[in-house]
Amino acid sequence: MTQKNQWDASGTNRRPKRAGIYCRLSYAPDGSLEKVERQEADCRDLAARLQWPVSEAHIFPDNSRSAWQKNRKRPQWDLMLESIEAGEIDAVIVYHGDRLIRQPYDLEKLIGIAESKGIRVASPSGTRNLDSPDDRFILRIEAAQACRESDNTSRRVLRGHASRRGLGLTTVGGRRPFGFGVEVGTKAKVDRTTGEMIDVPVYDMNRHRPDEAKLIRGAARYLLASRNQRATVRWLNERSTTTEGNQWEPKSLRNVLTGARVAGLIEHDGDFLKAAWKPILDRETWEAVRALYAASAASSPYTGRERKYLLSGNGGAECGPCEEDQLQAGKPRKEIKPVFLRTKPSGGRNQKSARVYYCNECRRVGRNTELLDGYVEGRTVSQLNDPRLLEALSTAPDHPDLSAELIRLEERKAELAHQVENMAQFPNIRPELAFSALESFDVEIAKIRARVAATAEERLLVRMAGISPKRWKALPVDLRAATVRALFRVVVLPTQKRGPGFDTSSVRIERKRSGDK
């Protein structure tokens, strides 16, 4: 049947007054418009053969847009539907039916909008009248076939991904991850700006870039020591940019340091699988970084804010009266929530730059920042040089097997999870016992990760042991604050002292490590 006869079979010989053209390309990673423009040219040729006038204001190209996912966005498709509903066009020309409709719900939406408007849809396979029951029936069959083909493609892709995971590989494509990607050649690509073909590098993503890998290890050490994300970002920005040439931000730093790739792992459905490439960070360091981020997120909504004062904010000096109030209210000591001191200008007429630590909750505690910092830092340097602390650190047990134990537990958990998902293949497994075992694995994994995080403080103290007062003052405030937290719990009490000097009796310093005098 010719196209004209198909058109006539719809029940009317009326030619459309204004036709729009819809073009779509599912995947154009380089932003190339060449294939979409080719579709438009073919549609214009078809319009000329059908003698349908094309409205130049109604060309709808969706480049690199999928029509398969239900939550996908096709802005030009939406504009086309609005134009149909407004009566601006009464026909649509498309390169192929599946360029327009890939899912049945798209077709039903189009039919609902075009109802009683005599809308025509034309493609090289023929024309359809959306008011014709017979044409709607055929379009629904074609949409179902296109949906089935999409499902088949999805299954093939998922099988391919699963096969690559089994080999310890990730999916192909995407930006080069920081720390990985050694150039092994070039390939041709369309330049988005000029439209010309250019050569771009091809990378082996399984190989380290030594300079960037060194920076990742340095950033992890700095973060674990300072416990300050902003300071680590500043440190990294002084030495490099991201792979896109941008400045480092807290989010980009977190993504690199906590991503499974730097630990030589692939994450899938919450489980970690061994990757084909070597890790940049050892498992223990990586787990310590993840634990630090998790603890920061749980304890403060302002994670990563750059520290300016030694004892302010989260993990700093605590308010003694607020603690006492909670105890008197009958709260168990383990459930007491510490209230950390803040800083503000002291307001003195002759000391405009002076600041004080104060409690914003009870307002019964206030201390000069310079004097309190000096007292606490003196105690800290003294303990770092105490022979008893040095001996305790030298005899502290190492935990080289923590990473191996963590990997072993996660592998056993992943194996059990696989058996639960494929219960039919393992009839001897009792579901209730399997789910109980999965929960016990989660508990044990959490315990080991907590032990991994604790070793980070030990490593910091080993670095700081024996430090001189001069070297201590030269350290960034982030490192000094982290060291104080590793050694002491500082609690500030009200004081009755008036006049110059500092009341040391109103500061309670509780030891976390042996060796304090």
Side-chain angles (χ1 to χ4, degrees), residues 71-135:
N71 61 347
R72 85 286 179 272
K73 292 182 179 180
R74 286 199 285 167
Q76 294 298 315
W77 160 268
D78 295 333
L79 285 176
M80 182 193 72
L81 294 181
E82 292 175 6
S83 297
I84 292 174
E85 192 168 21
E88 297 172 2
I89 57 175
D90 56 359
V92 177
I93 304 173
V94 64
Y95 173 74
H96 192 277
D98 66 1
R99 297 299 89 192
L100 182 68
I101 297 166
R102 195 82 172 185
Q103 290 285 356
Y105 53 78
D106 278 337
L107 175 61
E108 297 306 323
K109 186 174 183 179
L110 176 61
I111 289 175
I113 291 176
E115 187 174 5
S116 302
K117 288 184 170 61
I119 301 298
R120 307 291 197 281
V121 176
S123 72
S125 62
T127 64
R128 306 293 178 197
N129 181 356
L130 296 184
D131 284 346
S132 166
D134 292 337
D135 282 357

Side-chain angles (χ1 to χ4, degrees), residues 168 178-180 205-210 212-214 216-217 256-257 259-266 273-287 403 407:
F178 191 81
F180 293 86
M205 299 299 190
N206 293 338
R207 294 165 62 185
H208 295 174
R209 293 176 72 100
E212 294 180 354
K214 183 178 179 181
I216 289 175
R217 286 188 284 267
V256 169
L257 294 185
R261 171 176 275 275
V262 297
L265 302 170
I266 296 174
L273 311 175
K274 186 176 181 181
W277 54 84
K278 295 180 179 179
I280 292 178
L281 297 179
D282 63 80
R283 186 64 179 269
E284 188 174 340
T285 301
W286 181 68
E287 289 287 354
S403 297
I407 293 171

Side-chain angles (χ1 to χ4, degrees), residues 92-382:
V92 177
I93 304 173
V94 64
Y95 173 74
H96 192 277
D98 66 1
R99 297 299 89 192
L100 182 68
I101 297 166
R102 195 82 172 185
Q103 290 285 356
Y105 53 78
D106 278 337
L107 175 61
E108 297 306 323
K109 186 174 183 179
L110 176 61
I111 289 175
I113 291 176
E115 187 174 5
S116 302
K117 288 184 170 61
I119 301 298
R120 307 291 197 281
V121 176
S123 72
S125 62
T127 64
R128 306 293 178 197
N129 181 356
L130 296 184
D131 284 346
S132 166
D134 292 337
D135 282 357
R136 290 199 299 267
F137 173 73
I138 294 173
L139 285 171
R140 285 174 173 131
I141 293 175
E142 291 176 348
Q145 289 175 335
C147 184
R148 181 184 180 186
E149 181 56 35
S150 292
D151 290 340
N152 290 338
T153 301
S154 176
R155 281 193 291 270
R156 290 194 296 270
V157 170
L158 290 176
R159 282 198 299 268
H161 290 174
S163 176
R164 290 184 64 83
R165 281 197 303 273
L167 298 174
L169 301 172
T170 58
T171 54
V172 180
R175 295 187 179 93
R176 180 181 71 80
F178 191 81
F180 293 86
V182 174
E183 187 173 339
V184 293
T186 60
K187 67 176 181 180
K189 178 181 177 181
V190 177
D191 186 280
R192 294 189 181 189
T193 305
T194 65
E196 299 177 352
M197 298 297 295
I198 58 174
D199 288 332
V200 296
V202 176
Y203 298 104
D204 180 353
M205 299 299 190
N206 293 338
R207 294 165 62 185
H208 295 174
R209 293 176 72 100
D211 54 336
E212 294 180 354
K214 183 178 179 181
L215 288 172
I216 289 175
R217 286 188 284 267
R221 287 194 299 268
Y222 194 101
L223 179 65
L224 290 174
S226 68
R227 292 177 172 261
N228 189 293
Q229 188 177 205
R230 290 282 181 184
T232 308
V233 167
R234 186 177 65 247
W235 178 90
L236 198 53
N237 274 327
E238 292 171 354
R239 291 160 175 81
S240 75
T241 62
T242 66
T243 53
E244 291 82 32
N246 300 323
Q247 288 283 295
W248 287 94
E249 297 290 342
K251 182 179 180 180
S252 54
L253 173 70
R254 182 177 66 249
N255 289 344
V256 169
L257 294 185
T258 62
R261 171 176 275 275
V262 297
L265 302 170
I266 296 174
E267 184 175 5
H268 177 64
D269 290 341
D271 295 322
F272 295 102
L273 311 175
K274 186 176 181 181
W277 54 84
K278 295 180 179 179
I280 292 178
L281 297 179
D282 63 80
R283 186 64 179 269
E284 188 174 340
T285 301
W286 181 68
E287 289 287 354
V289 169
R290 281 163 49 88
L292 175 61
Y293 273 110
S296 297
S299 61
S300 173
Y302 304 107
T303 56
R305 177 173 290 177
E306 187 170 359
R307 179 176 290 276
K308 294 182 179 180
Y309 304 99
L310 184 74
L311 301 172
S312 64
N314 233 23
E318 301 176 22
C319 175
C322 287
E323 178 185 20
E324 188 63 29
D325 289 345
Q326 295 181 67
L327 286 172
Q328 291 181 359
K331 183 175 289 188
R333 184 169 290 277
K334 290 184 178 180
E335 297 180 10
I336 290 178
K337 185 178 180 181
V339 177
F340 298 108
L341 303 186
R342 302 182 181 184
T343 67
K344 65 177 181 179
S346 65
R349 179 178 299 177
N350 299 321
Q351 294 181 323
K352 295 182 179 180
S353 62
R355 299 185 69 86
V356 295
Y357 291 114
Y358 76 104
C359 177
N360 193 48
E361 297 291 331
C362 69
R363 300 183 182 274
R364 286 179 281 171
V365 165
R367 287 293 183 283
N368 179 278
T369 57
E370 185 177 355
L371 295 178
L372 182 57
D373 286 354
Y375 174 63
V376 172
E377 288 185 290
R379 292 283 295 272
T380 302
V381 174
S382 176

